[in-house]
Amino acid sequence: MLKRSLAALAISAGIWAGSAHAETISAFCAPTEFDFCTSVAKAWKDKTGNEAKINKMPALLDDAIPLYQQLLAAKSTDVDVLFLDVIWLGMFKNNLLDISKAIPQADQDKHFASTLGAAKLDGKLVAMPAYMDVGLMFYRKDLLEKYGKQPPKTWDELTATAKEIQDKERADGKADLWGYAWQAKSYEGLTCDAIELVASNGGGTIISDDGKVTIDSPQAAEAIERAKGWIGTISPEGVLNYDEEASRAIFESGNAVFHRNWPYVWGTSHAPGSAIIDKVGVMPLPVGKAGEKSSGCLGPMYYGVSKFSAKADAATDFVNFITGPEMQKKRAIDAAVNPSIPALYSDPDVLAKIPFLKDNQQAFADSAVRPSGYTGTSYNRVSQAFYRSVHDMLSGGGDIKSGLTTLAARLEKLKESR
Ligand code: GLC
């Protein structure tokens, strides 16, 4: 009793009972997560007395790969918690702590089983899911209504609708309006955009789950050809250098009819500063032709603990806290990011913020999964070869069919160096 009231006193005085052993850990967070992570660190400090120093990752997530590689190769104890893209798990698995025992089973079981499963490698749990990502199509509801258009089901319908609205709005004085803003810069995001186009056209996901290179197909050529036709017609030339944020800026300034991005754009396009509040619709990505499956790129993100952390217990506790239901709910409400915890998909507060959340579960089920499972440590080289070659096809004059044949031969070699 006395002990308990002393603890209560310590807490009310702002000193946590365990503060004699308080630790400071260091965590990486994506720039788009920075404010969220800072508030999580504060909540974690209030709960445990421990501090989390938040380090902002490079603006382009791809640039975190060499940074992590350096830190981990040097067995650095400077960083305890790593923010991880799903496609990096295989790459970094040998340098991530097995947290399967330290995270209570009941907490693990709260997450989508397949998403948690993607972090179980070689019998170890190397990270915990933080949120779900899937490619979605955002559009200007008001403009589609104005011109009596339905949300397009196929890429050809999207092309035609985008062109018609763009032309009519331009004729009406909206000189800066474009039909479609997406990501075609030479980076991982283009692997996502292109895999979506190819998979939804019946052309598979570059390399199949059992290791067959599938990219050299007429369906893939047709999908890339169609996308090439957008550049300079319904998409600005600049799209060849757009990542998510650059393309989002066009859409949220009111200058694009359609916009492919991740679910967070629902939050940003309704935040102060957006020119399109309440004018936004969202739907699954179109397909190549009727009968094909919408294929949003699947991109869950994770937090894991470095194997070289000198404060593994505190770091694991932070990982469980930032990926747990309370913080995922906060992230969903603050930023419309999709949780990896199914129970939150029927939470009224979350649904008030993200009304279409339940539909996204179908988008997760139908998604295109990048071939990081098969390629493991060679994924990054495979993806680089893919996006560089697609970027060349989109921007250059070369023949797309022979470009794909050359790419396939290169991937045959790369996929085996895992
Ligand atoms: C998002 C996705 C991630 C993907 C990246 C590409 O962050 O969550 O999986 O690799 O976009 O830019």
Side-chain angles (χ1 to χ4, degrees), residues 132-198:
M132 302 298 290
D133 247 352
V134 70
L136 295 176
M137 188 62 71
F138 295 88
Y139 60 92
R140 288 286 299 279
K141 214 170 49 180
D142 58 325
L143 290 178
L144 264 63
E145 271 163 24
K146 179 172 170 188
Y147 293 100
K149 300 286 171 198
Q150 291 303 313
K153 295 251 185 315
T154 65
W155 290 109
D156 284 341
E157 282 168 29
L158 177 138
T159 311
T161 303
K163 181 81 170 63
E164 185 180 332
I165 297 181
Q166 174 187 295
D167 289 352
K168 290 186 171 155
E169 285 287 294
R170 283 189 186 177
D172 208 21
K174 283 280 284 164
D176 295 332
L177 188 82
W178 286 97
Y180 184 33
W182 50 296
Q183 300 89 40
K185 182 188 171 100
S186 184
Y187 80 124
E188 181 62 29
L190 177 55
T191 291
C192 281
D193 285 48
I195 213 172
E196 289 166 347
L197 295 167
V198 171

Side-chain angles (χ1 to χ4, degrees), residues 82-141:
L82 303 170
F83 183 63
L84 298 153
D85 196 332
V86 62
I87 48 170
W88 302 350
L89 297 176
M91 235 186 290
F92 293 120
K93 65 180 179 189
N94 294 333
N95 290 320
L96 293 168
L97 196 70
D98 177 10
I99 51 178
S100 57
K101 301 274 173 326
I103 305 263
Q105 191 60 44
D107 290 345
Q108 296 181 31
D109 291 346
K110 290 184 178 133
H111 296 260
F112 286 123
S114 57
T115 314
L116 186 79
K120 288 182 186 161
L121 299 171
D122 306 339
K124 303 185 298 183
L125 178 67
V126 300
M128 285 291 285
Y131 60 84
M132 302 298 290
D133 247 352
V134 70
L136 295 176
M137 188 62 71
F138 295 88
Y139 60 92
R140 288 286 299 279
K141 214 170 49 180

Side-chain angles (χ1 to χ4, degrees), residues 28 66-76 78-79 82 308:
F28 271 117
L67 179 70
Y68 281 8
Q69 278 166 339
Q70 263 175 32
L71 285 165
L72 295 168
K75 302 188 170 34
S76 169
D78 291 347
V79 58
L82 303 170
F308 309 107

